[in-house]
Amino acid sequence: MSRPLLHQRFPQLITSLPHLPLGDRPTPVRELTGIAPGVTLWCKDESGFGRGGWGGNKVRKLEWILPDVRRRGARTILTVGGLGTNWGLATALYAREQGLRTALALIDQPVDDHVRPQLGRLRRSGATLHFTRTKSRTVAAAPWLFLRHATGGRWPYFLPAGGSAPVGTLGYVEAAFELAAQISDQALPEPSHVVTPVGSGGTAAGLALGLRLAGLERTRVVGVVVNHTLRLDARAVVKLARRTERLLHERGAAFPATRIAPEDVTMVRDWMGAGYGHATPQALEAQRLVAGSGHLELEPVYTAKALGALIAMAADQRLGNGPVLFLQTHGPRDIV
């Protein structure tokens, strides 16, 4: 497999920011018809990215995180998610392959037909599960969790929900470079907007920074916020993008400052419904539209809400004439 595009663009990062290939790239792009009247709609489908039966945006982040865990000498990853966390499950499975342990602090969310079997998968993954229930109780338990999972005199490697730390955010800087290469190869036109669900901010932040670095100045990131427990406005997302840019500079990448600003991204919260994990009529309708069409497999927490928002924004002409790119970030498989 060829080196990641970030390493090709910035060879200085090969040793300072190591990469572990876990997926097949590039992920496919294709036009979607009959979904969002009023715009030309394309999809970049991340669902088949990871090897071993896993896909979605989590694996792209882990390609950069897991080598960094090794580089720091940690033996356990400590991270956070909801009861049905795909992020936590992906971390546990891929970390296990690398001989690393995972501990998960789990926060309550509605228990539905996704969450019930997911809890079984989490238990079978080998991760240590801590049912901390709320954000405040998780924060209060943090000192104990760090002590509990210190191994061999080393603290656990902590990751926020979704892996949305600067190292994890590199996964979608890389994806933006990949998208730019596909546009250059005429696989799709340059989009006016990329619409993505936002549960922790790392995917949107990586795209926003990566599009700038890849020269796609016209393309604007639209994040559909699905998580009410975190601050996920444009300022927070851009702050993470800037931290990721600083990481690249610190590790040796030479490029002019992007000067990315909150005005450069759009974050919308109108389609969240009652909160994280709660279904909405728009999301259910988006699932109905694509069901059986072979277009996409959506889930109600992230991707169905994002596509429902895209359809509504297109109808209101908030996305102009497009073309618009929908980032399909879902892709877990029942593999444990």
Side-chain angles (χ1 to χ4, degrees), residues 1 17 41 98 104 140 161-162 192 204 226 265 267-268:
M1 176 179 291
L17 274 172
L41 179 61
Q98 301 303 313
L104 302 175
S192 61
V226 302
V265 301
M267 305 297 289
V268 296

Side-chain angles (χ1 to χ4, degrees), residues 247-283:
L247 173 69
L248 289 170
H249 280 140
E250 289 170 350
R251 299 294 177 89
F255 57 87
T258 63
R259 303 189 187 282
I260 189 170
E263 296 75 24
D264 298 325
V265 301
T266 299
M267 305 297 289
V268 296
R269 304 175 68 89
D270 310 40
W271 291 274
M272 190 189 308
Y276 181 78
H278 291 267
T280 65
Q282 297 94 336

Side-chain angles (χ1 to χ4, degrees), residues 12-88:
Q12 311 94 320
L13 300 178
I14 293 173
T15 56
S16 62
L17 274 172
H19 175 264
L20 174 67
L22 297 173
D24 297 315
R25 52 178 57 79
T27 54
V29 293
R30 64 183 186 276
E31 188 173 356
L32 303 179
T33 58
I35 302 295
V39 297
T40 303
L41 179 61
W42 287 76
C43 172
K44 184 166 175 62
D45 191 351
E46 302 281 87
S47 63
F49 176 75
R51 300 196 195 100
W54 195 277
N57 59 340
K58 318 305 183 188
V59 186
R60 282 199 187 265
K61 297 177 181 182
L62 289 166
E63 288 192 319
W64 300 91
I65 289 168
L66 293 175
D68 198 56
V69 176
R70 288 286 196 194
R71 189 183 69 86
R72 292 174 180 265
R75 300 178 185 176
T76 302
I77 296 172
L78 172 62
T79 191
V80 184
L83 290 176
T85 174
N86 286 325
W87 158 248

Side-chain angles (χ1 to χ4, degrees), residues 23 28 42 63 88 100 110 147 166 178 193 207 261 285 288 314 317 336:
W42 287 76
E63 288 192 319
L100 299 167
L147 286 169
E178 186 179 295
H193 301 82
L207 286 172
E285 176 62 14
R288 188 195 66 77
Q317 299 185 324
V336 291

Side-chain angles (χ1 to χ4, degrees), residues 172 188 265:
Y172 274 85
L188 78 162
V265 301

Side-chain angles (χ1 to χ4, degrees), residues 194-200 204 221-227 232 266-272 301-311 313 326:
V194 177
V195 178
T196 180
V198 176
S200 58
V221 174
V222 178
V224 180
V225 179
V226 302
N227 187 352
L232 292 169
T266 299
M267 305 297 289
V268 296
R269 304 175 68 89
D270 310 40
W271 291 274
M272 190 189 308
V301 178
Y302 292 91
T303 50
K305 285 187 177 181
L307 186 60
L310 186 159
I311 293 167
M313 287 188 287
F326 176 67

Side-chain angles (χ1 to χ4, degrees), residues 104-148:
L104 302 175
L106 298 177
I107 295 172
D108 287 349
Q109 71 178 86
V111 177
D112 58 16
D113 290 341
H114 163 71
V115 172
R116 279 184 287 270
Q118 185 77 336
L119 278 169
R121 298 181 194 115
L122 287 168
R123 290 189 172 99
R124 294 191 298 273
S125 73
T128 302
L129 308 183
H130 299 283
F131 295 89
T132 50
R133 304 205 62 180
T134 67
K135 181 179 177 181
S136 60
R137 288 178 62 175
T138 303
V139 171
W144 178 82
L145 290 170
F146 271 85
L147 286 169
R148 165 70 174 76

